[in-house]
Amino acid sequence: MLELTTHKVLVAVPGDEDATGAVAYAAQEARRRGCGVHLVSVVHPVATSAEAATFNVLEGMLHSACASALHQAQRQLTRELGDDVAVTTEVVHGSVVATLVSLSNRAAVVVLQRQPGRGARIPTLSVTSGVAGRAHAPVVSVPTGWSGVTTVDGAVLPVLVGLSDPIAGERVVRVALEEARARHAPLRVLHTWHFTDHYDDLVFEGDAGTRHETQLLADLQEQLAPLLEDYPDVATQVRTQHAHVADALEAGSARAQLLVVGRHRSRIPLGRHLGSTTRAVLRESHCPVLVVDPVPAAPAAPDRQSQLQPVGGSST
């Protein structure tokens, strides 16, 4: 497996599925960060016969398909970035999720494309969920059909960040601020509140709901104030909304250029690492979703120290 010795945008390119949106997003990201792009396609071992010859033929066909997909992706990047940006490619044989997680250790960001649903889907088996839950770098999921539009009627679309807790989510908001700064875009911080479908409409009807939301917004603004003071150049709006969080973020993603969410840190090695809200927006968001680890990673050992660019991109 190729070792990425410098930070690059890592793009997963399936051999049998569309990745044009992910490659286009990677081109924009490489331009913002001033770094190269590494395209990787993973051949997952498939045993269809006990005969070695049959297995070798199948694996060779899969390898060929992946190499062809990488060639097409490389040509797309060259058209969008020219020859000044370093683009490398690699076909790896192994587990898709494990391979991408391993490579992410020396990546600035990992970009995958969300594939359209094919009937019922078990979210826990999603490659995107598996990588986003364990990657060493932030992970971006790009919806199929993403157009790359960043302005509407002359107005720059905002970066949207979902905030569950101001203290636990401080790093997630900081990453969103960095993204907004790099894109010269405003930031929208959204905190939703919801207790129960059965009684919320009764308990918080009229003045009671208004008072609750006013106090909640004031508390959020006070808690976020020290962080926002570090980014005076980013126009930031903090909002609260009485709604299910996944529904509110999905709706808001239709009017944003990027949605930033945090993942969970499981206390057990095989536990859930994303949470139901992040899984939902990864499946349903209308814009790219950036998944961030809210807890800073422990420093790497000296002989394996990566040279990652700070999460969120440059400030230029």
Side-chain angles (χ1 to χ4, degrees):
M1 184 182 299
L2 177 67
E3 285 290 332
L4 300 180
T5 55
T6 58
H7 63 272
K8 287 187 176 182
V9 177
L10 174 65
V11 188
V13 181
D16 59 347
E17 295 177 325
D18 177 54
T20 54
V23 174
Y25 184 94
Q28 291 187 3
E29 194 69 15
R31 193 178 294 114
R32 275 193 295 267
R33 291 175 178 264
C35 67
V37 180
H38 184 58
L39 304 169
V40 62
S41 193
V42 185
V43 178
H44 192 287
V46 179
T48 59
S49 171
E51 298 181 6
T54 302
F55 177 79
N56 289 338
V57 169
L58 175 60
E59 190 170 31
M61 293 173 61
L62 293 174
H63 185 105
S64 178
C66 289
S68 177
L70 287 175
H71 178 68
Q72 294 297 325
Q74 188 174 28
R75 289 181 60 189
Q76 179 184 344
L77 279 173
T78 301
R79 288 195 302 270
E80 298 193 27
L81 295 174
D83 297 323
D84 296 333
V85 176
V87 178
T88 53
T89 65
E90 179 181 17
V91 176
V92 181
H93 292 243
S95 165
V96 178
V97 171
T99 297
L100 294 175
V101 169
S102 178
L103 281 172
S104 73
N105 193 45
R106 292 187 179 274
V109 64
V110 183
V111 183
L112 305 95
Q113 182 158 324
R114 185 183 77 208
Q115 302 302 325
R118 301 179 179 87
R121 170 180 288 186
I122 303 175
T124 54
L125 298 183
S126 163
V127 169
T128 301
S129 294
V131 176
R134 293 170 173 78
H136 305 288
V139 175
V140 177
S141 172
V142 181
T144 296
W146 174 72
S147 64
V149 172
T150 58
T151 61
V152 173
D153 297 330
V156 179
L157 290 173
V159 171
L160 174 65
V161 58
L163 177 64
S164 58
D165 179 86
I167 298 177
E170 179 180 350
R171 183 168 185 264
V172 179
V173 177
R174 185 177 292 278
V175 169
L177 284 161
E178 292 286 351
E179 287 287 339
R181 171 182 280 175
R183 298 161 185 266
H184 305 288
L187 177 69
R188 300 291 179 264
V189 181
L190 178 61
H191 173 79
T192 63
W193 58 280
H194 182 272
F195 298 101
T196 169
D197 289 329
H198 299 291
Y199 299 111
D200 271 20
D201 290 341
L202 295 175
V203 175
F204 295 102
E205 184 178 8
D207 292 342
T210 301
R211 288 195 300 271
H212 177 79
E213 191 144 319
T214 299
Q215 185 60 53
L216 182 60
L217 179 59
D219 291 343
L220 284 172
Q221 290 173 328
E222 181 180 359
Q223 291 170 312
L224 289 173
L227 176 59
L228 298 183
E229 287 176 358
D230 293 339
Y231 298 85
D233 54 324
V234 179
T236 302
Q237 179 187 41
V238 181
R239 290 187 53 220
T240 59
Q241 182 178 348
H242 181 208
H244 290 283
V245 58
D247 294 339
L249 292 177
E250 179 193 349
S253 71
R255 303 179 298 277
Q257 60 173 288
L258 181 71
L259 170 59
V260 183
V261 293
R263 74 183 188 191
H264 286 177
R265 267 296 181 93
S266 177
R267 296 182 180 179
I268 57 176
L270 298 179
R272 292 177 178 266
H273 290 260
L274 287 181
S276 58
T277 296
T278 300
R279 290 177 183 274
V281 297
L282 281 172
R283 294 193 305 270
E284 308 296 339
S285 175
H286 301 280
C287 69
V289 179
L290 175 62
V291 181
V292 180
D293 190 341
V295 180
D303 60 336
R304 299 182 63 189
Q305 182 67 43
S306 61
Q307 303 177 33
L308 300 183
Q309 181 167 325
V311 173
S314 64
S315 59
T316 58

